[in-house]
Amino acid sequence: MATSRAALAYLESRKNLAGMVGGLAGVGLALGGLAGAFWPVVVAGLYAAGALIAPPERTPPPEFDPSEQLGAVREDFARLREYLAEVELPPAAGGKLAELMELYARLLDPGWVADVLAGEPESVHVLSRAVRSDVPESVDTYNRARWWSRLQPGAVPPERHLERQLGLLFDEAERLTAGLQDREARRQQTHTTYLEERGRS
């Protein structure tokens, strides 16, 4: 089955089509009496030459649907919320985490904001990394460090690191949101410019 598919693919390939053109030229030479008794060699040679000079087939890169990628991040975000619901955090860190999760939720909420986000692969990557790696790692390392801090009192409290990490993630999320807002503002300005130029003409 795979062999027949490969054969069919070759029959439709550029190399075969170019070879066929060369082979037909060889047949034309033979019919014109220019190939002599060696016409089969001429036809085969021109076919081979055509096949060799034809550009190779290009395998197209896979196409990824941004909305599907965002849907996967949305599912992971739901799992992250379930995990965080089971974790105890100090009040300051818990408040900062709640703000951060609310901002993520607004970005991922299905609608036009998510559509804008889906059109920005780098923003999707930043949000995906935060949801799948940064937030879980921050909370998990806090829980581990909290246990060790009981054995070594006097060190920097682990909640201070957690608060700092969550603050940095919140700043990153705000920058991401501002970038999306700027994109929409540029889009609006472009439309205004287009309408102004159309009015002049």
Side-chain angles (χ1 to χ4, degrees):
M1 188 71 166
T3 307
S4 61
R5 265 200 301 263
L8 184 61
Y10 180 76
L11 287 174
E12 297 173 346
S13 70
R14 293 179 189 160
K15 287 191 171 294
N16 184 50
L17 294 175
M20 294 290 283
V21 170
L24 286 173
V27 170
L29 290 173
L31 291 175
L34 300 173
F38 299 102
W39 69 267
V41 176
V42 172
V43 172
L46 287 173
Y47 174 88
L52 284 173
I53 64 171
E57 292 294 319
R58 184 185 68 84
T59 303
E63 293 184 8
F64 298 105
D65 183 358
S67 60
E68 287 181 9
Q69 291 177 315
L70 207 56
V73 177
R74 212 173 269 130
E75 290 173 9
D76 292 338
F77 180 66
R79 290 211 312 270
L80 176 62
R81 287 184 116 160
E82 290 173 8
Y83 161 70
L84 294 175
E86 303 295 321
V87 175
E88 285 186 29
L89 297 177
K96 180 57 79 175
L97 180 62
E99 288 179 47
L100 180 63
M101 296 301 284
E102 180 59 31
L103 184 51
Y104 289 160
R106 287 200 304 264
L107 287 168
L108 288 168
D109 192 34
W112 70 268
V113 174
D115 292 342
V116 172
L117 177 62
E120 294 286 331
E122 184 58 33
S123 297
V124 173
H125 171 70
V126 169
L127 190 56
S128 170
R129 181 182 59 199
V131 167
R132 294 170 173 163
S133 176
D134 295 333
V135 173
E137 180 71 9
S138 295
V139 173
D140 187 55
T141 52
Y142 161 74
N143 280 322
R144 292 168 184 265
R146 184 176 61 168
W147 185 86
W148 286 105
S149 67
R150 293 174 187 160
L151 301 177
Q152 288 186 318
V156 178
E159 54 267 22
R160 206 173 292 169
H161 282 292
L162 177 61
E163 289 168 24
R164 179 72 181 130
Q165 291 167 7
L166 294 174
L168 291 168
L169 288 170
F170 190 82
D171 292 344
E172 179 184 64
E174 284 194 318
R175 285 194 303 274
L176 186 152
T177 305
L180 296 174
Q181 183 181 5
D182 287 346
R183 179 188 171 196
E184 289 301 288
R186 286 194 305 273
R187 180 180 170 198
Q188 185 183 36
Q189 180 59 48
T190 300
H191 190 58
T192 300
T193 304
Y194 161 72
L195 292 175
E196 288 172 348
E197 289 175 355
R198 192 173 75 181
R200 290 192 203 103
S201 62

